[in-house]
Amino acid sequence: MKNARNTLTTRIIGGKYKGRRIELPSKAVTRSSKARLRESVFNTLQFDLVDRNFIEMFGGSGSVGLEALSRGARRAWFVEFDRDSFKILQANCRRIDPSRCDLRFGDAFVILPQILEELQRKGEKAYLYIDPPFAIREGHEEIYDRVVDAIGRIDPSVVHMIIVERMSRADFPDTIGPFEKVKEKKFGKSSLTYYAPKEREN
């Protein structure tokens, strides 16, 4: 959707800030998670998200993390590497609830472990949403391999669940380190894959 200034925008789908408009970065730089994918994620998480932490690893506009805040998440972390997208992310957080937003500028693969370590020191956990640039984008051919490697290095005690938004034609393993696939849903060219910590054997 475009507004009068020819700026791409979307809206918060549900919760406290339902209908609130947020700006989207240029499509040439980043993709925003489509409304139906966002709606599916939060239909899955529902009330489990209330008073929990949420991390959007590749922040972009912040549409997923801000939706989480609208639906009762305690706090949201956003990581974004593109400077123009980061400025839009900052503006969107100011529109929604800046007091519950923690924005980090830089390489998501470097910053994510830092955020998880901070949470672990506090004895807290988070839901982690990973929506990397589509692998077909120039310079991102190895992005999914890096995502799988990053997931495999995460301490399962610090996350409730990991949700990966990805190209449907890209295969993701059933097991990644201490995590196992618990759900998958396809939306045409995009899919959502959910990973949870493996059940510990007695």
Side-chain angles (χ1 to χ4, degrees):
M1 185 183 298
K2 293 186 179 183
N3 63 17
R5 293 185 300 127
N6 208 35
T7 302
L8 290 166
T9 63
T10 189
R11 291 182 184 273
I12 300 294
I13 300 168
K16 181 178 180 180
Y17 303 108
K18 181 179 179 180
R20 191 78 60 89
R21 191 180 294 277
I22 59 174
E23 187 176 341
L24 300 176
S26 166
K27 284 184 177 179
V29 174
T30 185
R31 299 173 302 110
S32 175
S33 298
K34 293 180 180 178
R36 62 179 181 150
L37 271 74
R38 276 189 286 146
E39 190 165 17
S40 178
V41 168
F42 293 102
N43 283 344
T44 296
L45 300 183
Q46 294 192 12
F47 299 110
D48 291 338
L49 188 61
V50 174
D51 205 30
R52 301 280 180 85
N53 296 309
F54 193 94
I55 302 169
E56 190 171 359
M57 185 175 172
F58 298 91
S61 67
S63 62
V64 181
L66 293 173
E67 188 78 40
L69 289 178
S70 183
R71 294 172 186 254
R74 179 194 309 163
R75 190 167 186 81
W77 281 256
F78 305 86
V79 186
E80 177 54 48
F81 185 74
D82 179 78
R83 195 167 295 279
D84 290 335
S85 297
F86 190 74
K87 289 178 181 177
I88 290 173
L89 174 61
Q90 288 176 309
N92 286 339
C93 287
R94 285 195 294 269
R95 290 187 187 102
I96 302 300
D97 193 343
S99 67
R100 292 193 289 153
C101 295
D102 189 318
L103 283 67
R104 309 287 177 98
F105 178 76
D107 185 339
F109 292 103
V110 174
I111 295 175
L112 176 65
Q114 297 171 0
I115 295 172
L116 294 175
E117 186 177 336
E118 290 170 19
L119 288 172
Q120 194 166 38
R121 284 200 301 266
K122 297 176 184 176
E124 298 182 12
K125 294 184 178 184
Y127 283 91
L128 172 60
Y129 192 86
I130 304 176
D131 176 18
F134 267 13
I136 54 174
R137 235 176 76 183
E138 185 177 355
H140 291 280
E141 292 81 4
E142 305 297 324
I143 193 78
Y144 288 151
D145 290 338
R146 296 186 70 194
V147 166
V148 170
D149 182 65
I151 292 173
R153 296 172 184 271
I154 294 173
D155 186 330
S157 70
V158 78
V159 292
H160 299 290
M161 182 174 285
I162 299 170
I163 304 112
V164 181
E165 181 181 334
R166 59 180 180 79
M167 291 190 301
S168 295
R169 65 181 176 84
D171 290 327
F172 262 60
D174 291 336
T175 300
I176 304 177
F179 300 93
E180 59 186 358
K181 187 187 297 183
V182 293
K183 182 177 179 179
E184 195 163 60
K185 193 164 184 181
K186 185 177 179 181
F187 302 83
K189 293 181 180 180
S190 298
S191 290
L192 293 169
T193 304
Y194 296 75
Y195 290 93
K198 293 177 185 176
E199 293 290 339
R200 291 184 178 179
E201 296 181 3
N202 294 326

